[in-house]
Amino acid sequence: AIPSAFVDYLKRGKLSNAKFIEASDLVDEIKAIKSPEEIERMRQCAHMQDKCMDAAFKTMAPGKKDIEIAAVAEQTGHTYGSEQGLFVCASGPIGTAPLQANRHFQSRTIQQGDQLSLLVESNGAGGFYTELGRTCVLGKASQEMRDEFAFVLAARKFTLGLLKPGASGKDIWDAYNEFMKKNGRPEEKRLYCHGQGYDMVERPLVRFDEPMKLKANMIVSCHPTYALAGSFNWACDNYLIT
């Protein structure tokens, strides 16, 4: 990503006779395949996020606002050297599907018996990103929440079985949506599985328009997510392709 004014300046200057070539595919694959050192840094980041999530959920209590819970996760990361990231969450009564939102929508006050979903998507050691997502309940989860969470895990397991070297993002996308449709769940319209590393969202993308094939030593985030009338259903973790 370079400003077009800068490109125009180069073309009008000493490089006016140069040919400019799109090199994103070359650079993106170099970024996507992680070295042993990069893999270790990303493990450290994931370990840090375990601590962020644990601290946030230990803080959750009636009377607190969503933003206070997200802030605990963010501050915990700061103590381990994290500099930036997304901390989106939403709470709501059991039997509803609270959709996660950024901090300017995190003003709801949590009540006893509520649920809260939290996404920790921050950088850690070396500036690398991973992400972790969970839901907790101040009381008892409904049977619908339990049933749908079991299906989320099944949908994720289905996806993980396809994340192999040489696999196509488009083929996985198509197979996953067929799996969802066959089981009476909403088809994916967003981006539920993607690479991470130097960028929060990095190629390869498990999506209909991704030409990059999966290779060993790529790290991907997988987070099947869908909402029904009475539940917000998801789970988010990172995986190393071997």
Side-chain angles (χ1 to χ4, degrees):
I2 1 178
S4 58
F6 178 58
V7 176
D8 185 60
Y9 171 80
L10 293 176
K11 288 182 174 179
R12 285 187 287 104
K14 294 180 180 180
L15 298 176
S16 58
N17 293 323
K19 181 180 179 181
F20 288 78
I21 297 172
E22 169 64 63
S24 293
D25 284 340
L26 170 68
V27 175
D28 285 350
E29 185 157 320
I30 293 171
K31 288 165 62 179
I33 300 173
K34 305 299 188 286
S35 70
E37 182 181 359
E38 290 171 327
I39 291 170
E40 179 55 32
R41 295 292 177 270
M42 293 186 70
R43 287 190 190 278
Q44 292 174 15
C45 181
H47 183 59
M48 174 198 74
Q49 290 178 350
D50 287 339
K51 295 180 182 296
C52 293
M53 187 71 70
D54 183 56
F57 282 173
K58 284 178 178 175
T59 303
M60 187 171 161
K64 291 185 178 289
K65 295 185 181 297
D66 293 357
I67 194 169
E68 295 180 74
I69 307 305
V72 169
E74 184 171 11
Q75 180 58 37
T76 301
H78 288 170
T79 65
Y80 289 94
S82 178
E83 295 171 343
Q84 62 179 355
L86 290 179
F87 299 83
V88 297
C89 69
S91 66
I94 300 299
T96 65
L99 301 179
Q100 297 166 344
N102 285 312
R103 53 169 53 99
H104 54 289
F105 289 114
Q106 295 173 2
S107 59
R108 184 181 181 277
T109 300
I110 300 165
Q111 305 296 324
Q112 181 61 39
D114 280 354
Q115 58 179 304
L116 179 136
S117 295
L118 173 64
L119 171 67
V120 175
E121 192 171 17
S122 51
N123 65 7
F128 289 96
Y129 286 90
T130 57
E131 59 180 324
L132 176 65
R134 293 289 187 271
T135 297
C136 73
V137 177
L138 275 177
K140 187 176 181 181
S142 67
Q143 190 58 49
E144 178 182 352
M145 291 178 70
R146 293 175 182 276
D147 292 345
E148 294 305 321
F149 185 66
F151 180 79
V152 164
L153 297 183
R156 186 169 70 176
K157 184 177 181 180
F158 176 83
T159 300
L160 297 179
L162 302 174
L163 297 181
K164 298 178 180 179
S168 155
K170 180 184 185 306
D171 290 346
I172 298 170
W173 170 274
D174 290 342
Y176 176 78
N177 274 332
E178 186 60 33
F179 174 85
M180 296 294 281
K181 186 165 59 174
K182 178 182 175 183
N183 285 279
R185 297 327 194 271
E187 291 184 51
E188 182 61 64
K189 302 294 184 185
R190 297 172 61 249
L191 181 61
Y192 85 105
C193 186
H194 57 85
Q196 282 194 307
Y198 286 112
D199 295 322
M200 188 179 289
V201 176
E202 197 171 89
R203 296 177 69 193
L205 312 177
V206 173
R207 214 170 75 149
F208 59 87
D209 57 353
E210 175 60 272
M212 183 187 293
K213 295 288 196 296
L214 272 63
K215 292 188 176 180
N217 295 325
M218 290 180 173
I219 293 178
V220 300
S221 170
C222 185
H223 45 80
T225 306
Y226 61 92
L228 301 178
S231 57
F232 177 75
N233 313 293
W234 77 314
C236 177
D237 291 281
N238 285 82
Y239 297 89
L240 171 65
I241 297 176
T242 61

